[in-house]
Amino acid sequence: MTADSLAASRPLDTMKWADSGLLAPLPSALLAGRDVDLLAPMRFLAPGAMPDAPIPRPLADRPALAAALGDANASYGHPGAHRLAGQLADPQTRVVVTGQQPGLFGGPLYTLTKMVAAALWAVRLQESGIPAIAVFWVATEDHDWSEVAHASFAGPEGAKDLSLGPDPAPLTPVGMRTFGPGLDELFSSLALLQPGMGEAESHAQLRRWYRPDARFGEAFCRLATHLLGERCPLLLDSMLPAVKSAEQPLLRRLVTHRQEVEDALRAAEGRLAARGYSPQVDPQPGAAPLFFLHGEARRRILWEPEGTLALRGGPSGWPIEQLLAAIDDNPSVVSPGALSRPAIQDALLGSTLQVLGPGEMSYMAQASALYPVLGVEAPWVTLRPQTLVLETSLRRHLEVRDLAAILDPRIPLERVVAERSGPNFVAAERERITSAVLALQAPAMALDATLERPLEKTREQIERALEAFSGKVDAAAARRDGTALGRLERLREACLPLGSLQERVLSVAHFAGRFGAGFIDALWTQLDLDPSTLQVISPDGLRE
């Protein structure tokens, strides 16, 4: 085994997230075992624990939904589409669910991490004798263009963000959008940023699915199944007609029980405030956790005092009966918001475990309030693993004590280098040696007064010699520190591209293009489901 392979295989005892100051307050508290009751009726899964998994009780016809998902996944090229659909149709099968918007080129790295984590949780349940599958909720109904329309890649000159440009159709769900002509220019920029042969092959693969006339959701699903193959979760497009039909009674209940919904959300906000937390989703009195597709614009539904409704930025005075009729006739025009989507998702799937990012976990203390209103059995929730991908050549220079400082751009790296060097050992020894020479003066003078001058010359010679040696040590330290500083600068650039955590910035396609199929193998084999530590993944760690 090579030195690089040895370095890659050594476990890295990375820092605890709860102590890092880099997580939001509520996820940090949950990892420390505090305030877990704020998620009730959800249950927070402590690191290292296993969820109990009673027989699921979905409120929808799960076999019918499974059949539709099997056909959809087969169309994406998922090699296990019908096998997973068959498992989902089985009432004994538990579901581990996670999800994200279908970001350009697979979205940021954490999107892939969530997929792999959900699949690994399903494997862990299966190994304990519990039938389970992973499902990934592709949030195509969302309309956040700024989140999905860009992708960041790292090149020789550092990281660069590539964007499709300004939003051409604000409020239009991403599942209804095509990439448009800006995609060709983006590929040209990508070729300049990543000119290697392996990257070029990866870019050619991307062009198969990412075309100007292609839609976000389908391209995302095709890329995911290509990368993960049999390991890919069953993909659920939230705009799939079978999904919308299954949602219909739940959407209706959110309307007919609107006062109960609002009271439950206000009570949750009050509980958060009483513990000193700010709600992750800003309180919006009178606003439903629902959107209406008016034309191609997804607008928030607002309850009016007169017993009618309005659409934010749109018409007002609509009878609520008109909304209920729309839900009955065409549920695709109504979609859940961030606070109602989790309960609807779990009602359809009968979820056992949700795998969430820190931001999502922060708003679950609000979203959990709607489970009793909708009569949905709440699942366990866990944080996704937090990852950092470092090639072995960088990882072997990473000292755990430095990691928190490297991840904090406010801390000068020169300070890290200085702390690594430790105290000035020459100065400390110089003082001790000088004291020892001076201690010779009394016994020497008692023996012969003429020894005073030779002793002084000896002291001066020792001082000069130590001074010269100290200079050589300083020069060596400067050379070493220059090298160390350069390494730390490269580490910080890798950890904080564009000034933010790597997993939140660099695209899935960046890693797939740079490291090839081995990257997926490394992520699958090295990822630990413990969310309490920052895990370093070595994409070349499997190479001998």
Side-chain angles (χ1 to χ4, degrees):
M1 182 175 282
T2 66
D4 279 359
S5 296
L6 283 169
S9 64
R10 283 198 305 267
L12 184 63
D13 183 19
T14 50
M15 67 181 188
K16 295 287 185 181
W17 272 119
D19 303 327
S20 70
L22 297 173
L23 278 184
L26 184 56
S28 293
L30 295 172
L31 285 175
R34 303 191 310 272
D35 296 328
V36 294
D37 60 302
L38 289 175
L39 296 177
M42 289 179 166
R43 292 167 290 174
F44 181 74
L45 190 65
M50 282 285 288
D52 61 24
I55 302 299
R57 295 188 301 168
L59 299 184
D61 183 350
R62 206 168 77 170
L65 179 62
L69 293 181
D71 291 341
N73 279 259
S75 74
Y76 307 144
H78 194 316
H82 291 299
R83 172 181 58 80
L84 291 174
Q87 289 177 265
L88 180 62
D90 185 339
Q92 300 293 317
T93 298
R94 280 61 160 188
V95 172
V96 180
V97 65
T98 190
Q100 196 66 35
Q101 287 198 59
L104 180 65
F105 298 153
L109 174 61
Y110 67 74
T111 305
L112 183 62
T113 303
K114 290 168 81 172
M115 284 189 181
V116 172
L120 287 171
W121 268 113
V123 169
R124 181 172 289 186
L125 286 169
Q126 290 166 2
E127 290 174 345
S128 70
I130 299 172
I133 66 165
V135 174
F136 188 91
W137 184 283
V138 185
T140 50
E141 289 185 301
D142 288 5
H143 58 266
D144 191 346
W145 174 263
S146 64
E147 182 173 329
V148 301
H150 68 100
S152 298
F153 294 78
E157 304 300 320
K160 184 176 181 181
D161 190 58
L162 305 179
S163 172
L164 292 173
D167 188 350
L171 301 182
T172 299
V174 298
M176 296 172 61
R177 295 172 180 261
T178 59
F179 295 106
L183 191 62
D184 288 333
E185 183 179 346
L186 191 151
F187 269 115
S188 298
S189 299
L190 182 55
L192 295 174
L193 186 63
Q194 289 190 324
M197 180 65 70
E199 287 92 340
E201 293 175 359
S202 176
H203 302 166
Q205 288 278 5
L206 287 176
R207 283 183 178 273
R208 292 176 54 193
W209 310 299
Y210 287 85
R211 307 179 310 275
D213 63 336
R215 294 185 184 273
F216 277 80
E218 184 173 357
F220 175 90
C221 292
R222 288 183 179 274
L223 175 59
T225 56
H226 168 74
L227 291 176
L228 292 174
E230 288 281 355
R231 298 163 173 165
C232 187
L234 194 64
L235 302 170
L236 185 156
D237 182 336
S238 64
M239 295 185 74
L240 195 70
V243 174
K244 297 308 300 180
S245 294
E247 288 180 354
Q248 185 266 343
L250 298 156
L251 298 172
R252 207 175 201 287
R253 186 172 180 85
L254 286 170
V255 176
T256 58
H257 289 66
R258 55 192 175 276
Q259 188 59 57
E260 190 178 348
V261 166
E262 182 157 354
D263 291 345
L265 291 176
R266 298 297 85 79
E269 291 159 8
R271 289 191 293 272
L272 283 168
R275 301 283 181 91
Y277 298 104
S278 298
Q280 178 78 0
V281 178
D282 290 335
Q284 301 182 56
L290 293 169
F291 290 82
F292 189 90
L293 190 61
H294 187 242
E296 292 191 348
R298 183 173 181 254
R299 298 186 182 277
R300 172 80 68 176
I301 295 172
L302 307 173
W303 305 126
E304 295 180 317
E306 301 80 17
T308 55
L309 67 91
L311 302 182
R312 181 169 290 159
S316 61
W318 284 13
I320 289 175
E321 290 72 19
Q322 186 174 338
L323 173 61
L324 292 171
I327 292 174
D328 292 340
D329 295 340
N330 183 16
S332 63
V333 298
V334 178
S335 57
L339 296 184
S340 56
R341 180 199 54 76
I344 287 179
Q345 160 197 281
D346 295 332
L348 269 55
L349 297 172
S351 311
T352 291
L353 177 66
Q354 278 196 46
V355 180
L356 302 168
E360 294 167 316
M361 188 66 78
S362 294
Y363 69 69
M364 282 302 151
Q366 297 166 265
S368 62
L370 297 188
Y371 282 76
V373 178
L374 293 177
V376 180
E377 187 173 346
W380 288 88
V381 291
T382 185
L383 279 167
R384 64 171 171 81
Q386 319 286 302
T387 57
L388 179 61
V389 178
L390 291 178
E391 295 170 80
T392 302
S393 59
L394 280 174
R395 174 176 172 166
R396 64 184 177 183
H397 298 300
L398 178 64
E399 296 185 24
V400 175
R401 62 177 177 171
D402 299 334
L403 188 54
I406 290 171
L407 294 175
D408 188 344
R410 299 168 299 178
I411 297 177
L413 292 176
E414 292 80 2
R415 184 190 306 171
V416 180
V417 174
E419 291 174 352
R420 274 186 175 187
S421 300
N424 187 333
F425 65 90
V426 175
E429 290 301 308
R430 182 175 176 177
E431 182 177 348
R432 185 182 66 80
I433 292 169
T434 300
S435 297
V437 172
L438 291 176
L440 297 174
Q441 184 174 10
M445 292 296 292
L447 181 63
D448 186 344
T450 62
L451 293 176
E452 182 177 12
R453 182 61 181 161
L455 179 62
E456 180 62 22
K457 286 186 176 182
T458 299
R459 187 188 63 79
E460 291 173 355
Q461 289 171 349
I462 292 174
E463 286 276 1
R464 286 195 297 270
L466 287 171
E467 183 68 27
F469 181 65
S470 180
K472 293 181 183 296
V473 168
D474 288 344
R479 288 194 301 273
R480 188 196 65 179
D481 289 354
T483 301
L485 181 60
R487 288 171 178 164
L488 287 175
E489 288 171 343
R490 291 192 295 275
L491 275 167
R492 177 169 280 179
E493 174 61 26
C495 296
L496 296 177
L498 303 177
S500 296
L501 288 172
Q502 181 199 72
E503 64 175 5
R504 302 177 189 174
V505 175
L506 293 185
S507 167
V508 167
H510 162 78
F511 296 98
R514 185 164 183 178
F515 303 114
F519 171 64
I520 300 299
D521 291 336
L523 189 61
W524 184 265
T525 56
Q526 296 177 35
L527 189 68
D528 191 293
L529 292 175
D530 181 359
S532 65
T533 59
L534 175 61
Q535 301 176 34
V536 178
I537 304 295
S538 295
D540 50 353
L542 300 181
R543 300 176 186 172
E544 296 286 329

